[in-house]
Structures are given as C-alpha cells and as structure tokens.
Amino acid sequence: MDFEDTQEEAAFRAEVRAFLAANAEPKKRGVPARARHVDAEALSRAKSFQAAKHDAGLVGLTWPKQWGGRELPQIFQVIYNQEEEAYAAPRGVFEIGLGMCIPTMMAYATPEQLTRYVPKALRGEEVWCQLFSEPAGGSDVAAVRTRAERNGDEWTINGQKIWTSGAQFSDFGIMVVRSNPDVPKHMGLSFFFLDMKSPGIEIRPIKQASGASHFNEVFFTDVKIPDSQRLGAVGQGWRVALTTLMNERLAIGDVPRPDTEDLLDLARSIELDGEPAINNVSVREKIADMHVRSQGLKYTRFRTMTALSRGQTPGPESSIGKLVNAAKLQEIASFGLDLLGAGGSVMDKDLAPMHAMFQEALLASPASRIAGGTDEILRNIIAERVLGLPGDIRVDKDIPFNRLPSGKR
Amino acid sequence: MFVSSPDRGASEFPGALVRGVCSACRDESRLAQPAGTEREAGDDAAMNFDFSEEQHQLRDQARRFLTEHATSKRIRQVLDGVAPYDRAMWQEIAAMGWLGAGVPEEYGGAGLGHVGLCVLAEELGRSLAPVPFSSSVYLATEALLVAGSAEQKDEWLPRLVAGEVIGTLAWAEGNGNPSPARIKARVSGGKLTGAKWPVPDGGVADVAIVVARDESDRVVLALVRLGSAGVHPETLATLDPTREQVKLSFDGVPCEILPGDGWAALEQVLERAAILTAFEQVGLAQACLDMSVAFAMERHAFGRPIGSFQAIKHKLADVYVATELARSNAYYGAWAMTAGAAELKLASASARVSATDAAWLAAKENIQTHGGIGFTWEMDCHLYYRRAKVLGLSLGSAPFWKDRVVAALETRNAA
C-alpha cells in the first residue's frame, strides 16, 4: 500500500497539470460546480476547451491511435479526471458522446462513417446525445415503444424518447427503436444513429422538481433515417445497446456537495440550545456516520484505481459509488436543514447559510437516486453480478412485445 | 517459497507461513510509503491501495489453515465450556509465527509490519477461531511495543511471540467507555489494588497490562503477573462464550510501571487495536455475507430460490455495500498505522465505526436471511451474531469512536 504514481503516471500527471493551469480556471469555494442550464455561451466555452484539450493530446486517451487516441491504459483517464476535479472545466457536454456514443460507433459503424464522425466529435465540433429511455421504459430499458418502419433503404421513426441530456444542443444522436413488435421484447429492437436536426424532431426541456432543466423530451414524427445509419443487424438492437451501456464512464468520484465537511462547517457556525451545534451528541454521531461513508467510498475508489493501475478491470462493485453518494446527499441535506429549524425552509441566498447549498441539495437529491440507474436497479446489479444471486423471474421473456400488459402509467 | 498442497498436513505449516513467504515485504517502508511525496496522504493518488502479492499468499495460507482447523466442532467445544480456548490451535498458530507478525525481528517477531497482521486479523475474524489472539497480540504485545521499557520488551515480547505466555490488557472497570475519570485501580508502593472487568482472556492470560492510577493520581500502565498472590480471577457469563471475559480483582499485587503517560499510551494501543479489530470485523461480515448468499441460493420457497426475491437481494446488496465501505476504511487504517501518519486518530476511529456497523448489519441480517433455522443453537449464525456484538463493544462502543471521528475532524479543520 502506498500512494505513489509510477514514473510514467507521474510524467502524465505533470503534463495534465501544466495543461490545466494554462487553460482552465480553478474551482471557487461555494460556487456550484455544475451550471443549472447550459446556455449558448457555456456551450461555446465548452467547445473551445475541448478543442484546446484535443490539441494538447489529452482527449481519447484510451482510444486507438487511428482515431486520434493514445492507446493508454485506463488509469491515465482516471489521472486526467482527478486533476481536472480541481478546475471548473466544462466537460459535461461531451461526456455522453465520447463516453458512450462514439465507442458504440467504433464497434459497429463503417470506416467511412468513422472517418466522417469521430474526429469532429473528439475535437468537440459536434455534440452527440443518447436516446434510450422512454416514458414507458425507465429501468426497463428494453421496453422501447418508439417504432421504426422500413421502406426500402429508409426507416421512418415515430414515438417519444425522454431524459435525453443535451438533446437541445446535440448534432447527432444514437437511438434504440422497435422494428418488430410481434416478437418478445429484447428481440424486436434495432439501433441507429441520426442527425438531430432532421425534420420531424421536436425537443422540449423537462423542468425538474428542483427548478433546473438538465433533460429533454424528444418527439419523433415521421423522422426519416437512411438504412446506412443502422448499427448492427435488424432485430439485434439490444446487443448494440448493451455495448453502449458497458461504456458508461467510470465513476470518477465527483463527490456531491454538501458533504461531511460542509455539514461540519454548518454545525460549527450555528447554535443549538445556546451552544454550537457541533457540541451536540446526536449531531456528532451523524457527522461521523456520514464521514465514514464518504471516506469508505474514497478509499474504495483507491482500490478501483489500484486494479486499473495493475491492468485489471474493475468489476461492477464500482456501482456502490452512486448508490451510497445519492442516499448520503439526501441525508446530509435533510439533516443540515434540521439544524436550522424553521429557518431551514428559507432559500433566499442572503439568509440561507452557505449559499443555500443544503436547500438546493434537498431538492436535487431525489433525481440523483433515480437518474443513471435507480437505487433499486443498482441493488439488483450488485446482488446479481457481484453476489451471484439469481436474476428476476421475467414474465415478459417469451411473450410478443405487443401482447404485454402495459399498465396505465 | 512455501506452497501448500491440499494433502499437506498441519504439521508442515509451522514456521513456513509467516517466516518463509514474505522476505520481500520485510521492509515496512515498502508496504506504505506516503511520506515525503508532494501529495498528502488523503489526496487522490493511491495507485497501490491493495495488499502485495506476498500478503495475498499469507492470506491464502491462513485461510487454508483456519478452514481446516477452526471448525464449528472445535469452536463449539469452547462455546460449551469444555475449555476456555483451543490450546492446540493456539500452539500451531504460535508455531507458524503469527503472534509475532507485527513484532520486529530483534524480539523474535517476523517483522512483517502491521499490514501482515491485518491480513491475519481478517482471516481470524472470518473463522471465529477460539484463541486469545486479539488479547495477546493486539492488546498486550502492542502495549509493550508502544510503551514498554527496553527491559520489559526484552523480557516479554519474545515469550509472547512464541506463545509461551498469553497477555491481555485491562482498561475497563465495569460499564462505560474508555475515560480517565473512570480509572479507580490504584498503584501504591509498587502494589496494585482494584478490580477490572471485563478483561478479555483474563483467566488464561499469564500477564496483564492494567490501567491504573499512581500515588500522584496520574494514569499509568502497570504490568502484572497474573500468577501472583493476591490476583483473584472470576470468570463472567458473557454474550460470546467462545471468547472468555473475566473480572480480575487485585489485592496489593506487585507490579511494574511502564514508562510514560499511561493514558496517552492506552489511546495509542486502542487506536491500533481498533484497526486490527476492524479487519476481524470485516472478515466476520464477509463470512456472514457468504453464508447468507449460499443459503439464499439453496433455500427454495414459493417455488423459487429465496435469493431471487428482491427483498433478499436488496438486503444482501446493502450488506455488501457496508462491508466494502468498511474494508476500504480498514485499508486506510492499515496504511495510517504502518506509516505512522498524523491521521491515525481519524483513520482508526473511522475504521472502527465503519467496521462495527458492517459486522453488526451482516450478522443480524444473516440470521434474518436464514429464517427460523437461523436462530437455532445448531446453526453457526448465532456464533457470528454474538461475536459481532462483542467485537463492537470490546474497545469501547460506537458512540465513543464516533466522537473521536468528529474530534479528529475538528482538529484537522482547525489546523
């Protein structure tokens, strides 16, 4: 056990630090890391940063050299991400495209298509989104109802996708659609990439309970896609979708705020029964409980990095990160507000301590327990893939999709 | 290199396990090497946060030995009061060099460093081995390493390492968590008077380090030979009869004072023991999780394995999460202990809180997963349940250690 980089890793870390120092602003205390909306200005800033990163050779680190990558082991991506943590670097815009869409393209698209799309995506000139979830298919991702009907060399798409991050500023998207409703659920799917500016696409932002809008609904009315943009065989779309999902980016340990230290700061700054709240036994126990969870995750991440550094693949055990973080965030937010008593309900930034960080988190935390795999799905994944317990009994396995009961919601 | 084969008898284990395998990891600085780097220990840069290959081999060999020897049958002999501990197992463990894993070679130890001892602790926790390992190694040996004079170390450490004597530490005087205010035992004119309970393995130990006050009311550590006249041991009924607890009354018993501030030394010993015990608790939690998973795959109800029900799957996923968090916190504790890091207070308290939580959750949900058979005497579930709770109490309970977590955070943030 030690905390040393190898020589190569240390050299790379130095390279990354030099780049970031010259090209990005350090994070400021008390300023939320993530913007509530990506406006035109934020998008253009993100694009220039990506271009600079590209020109410095710090994109596609693990990708083939043929496509502009450096063919480095995954630990180098982790090192990059660690260093970037300290900066207010706008990277969110490209995460889905470079993390999920382009790797899927690499597995299924033609060389000509890759030559056309990969370099522009890598340099941030074109943005990609991913269209999987639907109103009737959240955790049950394969319950896709958006229809694709073939007419010669062209497909016609009708239906609706939902929870699409970045659809409003994306140039291209990948999507899974139902090409045959007469066979069981997983068998009737096909997979495409498409131009998000195609006629018949309508994008509407979803206003979340917190007031922010990170996601969209995307409606498809007679949208045409050439058959040449199909990825994988007709009816094999689920297999392609699994490739996309496997490429979900490594948890890089964005610790959501407020965390233990913020709770500690809050408890020191306010009074409870005439003395600092930090002196209260139940407050101390809560802070300790939250601290050991945060630190447990941090050192679990160290173990994951060790596996990566040794060239091993971290298993699905990395799924504990989101499960623990999301619940902890909600608990810290709620407990922090309890310390404020009646005043905890006030979100006015001049009155609420720490820029209303606790109030904001209370409203945002339900989403983090759902988006990107619900708590329940993550527990299933741990039980099945880590502990080896049996999968759920699937009542929809052998029934044609169009004969499945659908429920009212 | 020592490699065990399945047909190798126990008699071939001695000496080889600890002494043969790990010459490459003798140097403690190789195990943990944070100092002098440009980064702080807590920084995101750990690329080698796992045991070394030699340490993994030590684990494999310990697991083989304990699987073969620490069987339910032998544990139950102690449970049923046939003997206070498994003497034959203890002798083999001593012969393999485990008792000296964390002791420098000059005192007859293997000089493996505390990380090697952590590996053994995890396996001992998994196995419920009914031996006075924690008392003699984590408490008495560590107390001597931390606070003993050169002569005291020379006199006692080689015998503790060889298993010729068993040691223990007596801090508690009845109910309550560690606090100098609770120490009433008194050393006067070189003689100890007072009563300590519960003392782990106090009936089988030959020597105890007793926390007491001297004539000027300072807290001191007093070394007492338990065979002396005036020592009255009284075995106590306990939650976990596989580990003996005793009340020791001292009636003017000759003792030797360990040099230095007794309370500061006790805190150091408790911190180290908390980390080693955290590894035992992690091993215990993992054993319970493994039992639960195996049972949930086997047991059918309503026409399917109970492990296919989400009520069971999600419960066991939560046990897994708690165990992994505890394991990671324990790793950090192991690092902090070996590196002598300034964060030892925070790391040890975090490891203890996290591991106590995981062991308790895993042990109680293991019984729950088993259903009715889980609370029968014949199943081993209750042995883990008993041990889990006692481990969580033995060095002071969760509220005490949670307070230390926050106290350490306050100090860190003030600096």
Side-chain angles (χ1 to χ4, degrees):
Chain A
M1 289 184 188
D2 62 44
F3 289 82
E4 300 271 286
D5 285 344
T6 64
Q7 248 183 343
E8 240 186 311
E9 288 164 355
F12 178 75
R13 195 182 290 279
E15 179 187 337
V16 174
R17 284 183 180 178
F19 167 77
L20 289 169
N23 291 279
E25 290 290 316
K27 267 182 194 161
K28 293 194 188 91
R29 236 188 121 77
V31 177
R34 203 177 252 257
R36 282 164 71 96
H37 304 276
V38 178
D39 55 20
E41 201 233 313
L43 181 64
S44 121
R45 249 185 303 124
K47 286 189 171 189
S48 357
F49 182 68
Q50 182 70 16
K53 215 167 129 179
H54 174 272
D55 298 344
L58 293 172
V59 294
L61 298 175
T62 61
W63 289 11
K65 289 188 175 151
Q66 189 189 356
W67 301 117
R70 285 173 69 169
E71 295 182 14
L72 291 169
Q74 221 159 7
I75 187 68
F76 289 87
Q77 187 63 54
V78 173
I79 291 172
Y80 180 85
N81 293 345
Q82 283 178 346
E83 295 299 325
E84 206 190 65
E85 269 294 282
Y87 289 86
R91 67 155 177 251
V93 168
F94 306 102
E95 262 172 10
I96 289 169
L98 299 180
M100 300 172 85
C101 303
I102 299 297
T104 308
M105 291 286 282
M106 283 186 189
Y108 289 96
T110 64
E112 295 73 32
Q113 288 168 332
L114 293 176
T115 307
R116 157 66 188 84
Y117 294 106
V118 175
K120 283 185 190 300
L122 200 52
R123 203 160 186 279
E125 290 168 26
E126 290 172 349
V127 182
W128 287 66
C129 65
Q130 180 246 77
L131 302 138
F132 281 17
S133 295
E134 295 194 6
S139 292
D140 187 3
V141 185
V144 166
R145 287 159 189 243
T146 297
R147 286 282 283 121
E149 282 166 302
R150 186 170 191 162
N151 191 352
D153 276 348
E154 192 172 74
W155 294 78
T156 303
I157 312 293
N158 280 287
Q160 183 194 349
K161 294 288 176 178
I162 195 168
W163 308 121
T164 315
S165 308
Q168 75 276 24
F169 51 75
S170 285
D171 301 286
F172 297 93
I174 54 172
M175 74 186 306
V176 62
V177 289
R178 186 155 303 281
S179 49
N180 183 359
D182 299 321
V183 293
K185 188 170 75 180
H186 290 95
M187 295 159 78
L189 300 172
S190 296
F191 200 106
F192 296 90
F193 72 91
L194 79 163
D195 184 341
M196 288 299 287
K197 311 289 187 244
S198 306
I201 295 182
E202 189 197 342
I203 298 165
R204 295 185 203 155
I206 298 172
K207 186 171 180 182
Q208 291 156 238
S210 63
S213 293
H214 293 307
F215 308 99
N216 301 279
E217 293 179 286
V218 183
F219 295 87
F220 295 84
T221 310
D222 293 330
V223 174
K224 307 292 184 196
I225 304 182
D227 189 53
S228 59
Q229 292 181 196
R230 175 164 45 79
L231 300 176
V234 174
Q236 295 286 308
W238 182 242
R239 178 181 295 200
V240 186
L242 287 179
T243 314
T244 311
L245 295 171
M246 302 270 198
N247 275 300
E248 288 212 78
R249 78 193 169 97
L250 272 170
I252 52 155
D254 297 332
V255 179
R257 302 273 302 273
D259 200 41
T260 317
E261 303 269 319
D262 301 304
L263 189 57
L264 188 75
D265 286 349
L266 183 71
R268 292 168 121 176
S269 70
I270 58 169
E271 291 209 339
L272 206 62
D273 303 330
E275 56 175 330
I278 187 68
N279 294 346
N280 181 288
V281 171
S282 69
V283 172
R284 294 176 82 81
E285 290 211 1
K286 178 65 89 175
I287 291 174
D289 285 334
M290 296 300 115
H291 173 78
V292 304
R293 284 200 234 167
S294 288
Q295 297 304 290
L297 272 191
K298 176 173 173 176
Y299 302 122
T300 299
R301 206 163 73 241
F302 282 17
R303 291 165 55 205
T304 302
M305 286 188 284
T306 302
L308 283 174
S309 187
R310 292 180 179 180
Q312 299 156 352
T313 313
E317 53 273 14
S318 42
S319 54
I320 75 172
K322 182 184 167 300
L323 182 62
V324 174
N325 263 333
K328 174 163 61 71
L329 178 66
Q330 195 168 40
E331 208 169 326
I332 287 178
S334 173
F335 190 78
L337 296 185
D338 286 346
L339 294 182
L340 302 177
S345 61
V346 175
M347 286 190 77
D348 191 305
K349 301 238 166 150
D350 296 334
L351 295 171
M354 302 165 80
H355 305 274
M357 185 190 266
F358 288 83
Q359 286 87 348
E360 296 268 4
L362 187 90
L363 296 178
S365 56
S368 52
R369 293 185 50 204
I370 293 165
T374 63
D375 286 4
E376 291 75 16
I377 288 293
L378 294 175
R379 286 193 172 92
N380 276 355
I381 289 173
I382 291 168
E384 292 170 24
R385 295 198 212 152
V386 182
L387 302 179
L389 290 166
D392 265 12
I393 289 177
R394 307 229 179 243
V395 295
D396 56 3
K397 210 167 122 197
D398 302 315
I399 304 174
F401 185 73
N402 56 11
R403 284 172 47 202
L404 289 177
S406 61
K408 287 217 171 72
R409 302 202 60 150
Chain B
M1 182 174 294
F2 177 81
V3 179
S4 171
S5 60
D7 58 347
R8 191 181 286 267
S11 60
E12 289 173 83
F13 276 92
L17 267 187
V18 166
R19 298 208 170 88
V21 173
C22 292
S23 55
C25 54
R26 288 273 157 93
D27 175 10
E28 285 214 17
S29 66
R30 280 193 44 157
L31 295 165
Q33 197 170 40
T37 63
E38 54 176 341
R39 236 165 277 119
E40 288 195 18
D43 225 350
D44 264 7
M47 302 307 166
N48 185 18
F49 205 59
D50 192 3
F51 294 111
S52 66
E53 197 181 323
E54 291 85 357
Q55 288 156 357
H56 280 298
Q57 283 174 2
L58 177 63
R59 171 195 306 289
D60 291 346
Q61 291 163 347
R63 187 167 301 181
R64 273 197 297 275
F65 173 81
L66 290 166
T67 304
E68 186 182 344
H69 295 272
T71 55
S72 180
K73 190 174 164 198
R74 281 173 74 172
I75 294 165
R76 280 164 183 272
Q77 300 230 306
V78 177
L79 176 73
D80 295 337
V82 176
Y85 71 103
D86 191 319
R87 209 173 296 268
M89 195 185 304
W90 180 248
Q91 281 162 357
E92 291 197 76
I93 283 175
M96 288 186 292
W98 293 8
L99 305 182
V103 176
E105 288 169 83
E106 55 179 308
Y107 302 114
L112 284 181
H114 283 86
V115 179
L117 190 52
C118 290
V119 169
L120 295 173
E122 187 178 340
E123 294 309 310
L124 287 160
R126 166 191 277 275
S127 75
L128 296 176
V131 287
F133 194 91
S134 54
S135 306
S136 203
V137 179
Y138 315 159
L139 297 175
T141 301
E142 290 297 323
L144 283 160
L145 283 170
V146 164
S149 67
E151 297 76 36
Q152 286 162 343
K153 287 182 186 174
D154 282 339
E155 180 179 2
W156 292 100
L157 288 175
R159 298 165 69 197
L160 285 162
V161 165
E164 291 164 23
V165 298
I166 293 171
T168 187
L169 173 79
W171 61 266
E173 297 189 19
N175 299 324
N177 281 322
S179 157
R182 310 186 72 90
I183 304 299
K184 306 280 188 255
R186 178 77 60 181
V187 177
S188 185
K191 299 205 165 158
L192 172 69
T193 303
K196 307 296 281 191
W197 66 273
V199 181
D201 302 300
V204 299
D206 306 286
V207 59
I209 310 295
V210 179
V211 185
R213 287 181 180 278
D214 66 8
E215 287 101 333
S216 25
D217 225 27
R218 285 176 303 213
V219 174
V220 292
L221 300 185
L223 186 149
V224 184
R225 290 167 173 78
L226 295 178
S228 312
V231 179
H232 306 291
E234 187 187 332
T235 305
L236 306 173
T238 147
L239 269 182
D240 176 12
T242 66
R243 301 290 283 103
E244 182 192 64
Q245 305 271 13
V246 168
K247 179 174 182 180
L248 289 180
S249 303
F250 302 97
D251 182 10
V253 181
C255 62
E256 275 177 52
I257 305 298
L258 276 62
D261 177 344
W263 191 258
L266 175 69
E267 285 195 273
Q268 276 192 59
V269 174
L270 290 177
E271 284 172 355
R272 291 167 176 231
I275 292 162
L276 293 162
T277 305
F279 277 91
E280 283 207 7
Q281 290 167 308
V282 167
L284 181 147
Q286 186 67 51
C288 290
L289 180 57
D290 292 348
M291 270 178 94
S292 299
V293 168
F295 185 80
M297 302 278 281
E298 287 280 312
R299 171 79 177 174
H300 281 60
F302 306 101
R304 51 200 270 206
I306 63 167
S308 68
F309 290 108
Q310 291 192 347
I312 299 290
K313 287 162 85 166
H314 290 189
K315 178 207 300 298
L316 298 183
D318 287 342
V319 172
Y320 171 79
V321 170
T323 305
E324 288 308 302
L325 293 179
R327 189 187 306 281
S328 298
N329 278 309
Y331 277 26
Y332 190 65
W335 170 80
M337 175 165 54
T338 318
E343 296 130 278
L344 184 59
K345 179 173 179 177
L346 180 59
S348 58
S350 299
R352 171 118 182 114
V353 169
S354 194
T356 297
D357 184 45
W360 172 241
L361 180 72
K364 75 188 170 84
E365 298 310 328
N366 185 35
I367 292 184
Q368 190 68 20
T369 301
H370 279 74
I373 200 169
F375 65 82
T376 61
W377 187 260
E378 65 162 314
M379 285 298 287
D380 286 346
C381 298
H382 70 108
L383 302 183
Y384 286 98
Y385 183 76
R386 293 164 184 274
R387 181 71 66 87
K389 192 64 206 174
V390 169
L391 287 178
L393 298 171
S394 60
L395 304 168
S397 57
F400 171 79
W401 290 96
K402 287 181 184 181
D403 189 71
R404 286 179 75 85
V405 169
V406 180
L409 282 174
E410 287 180 286
T411 316
R412 188 175 79 177
N413 283 27

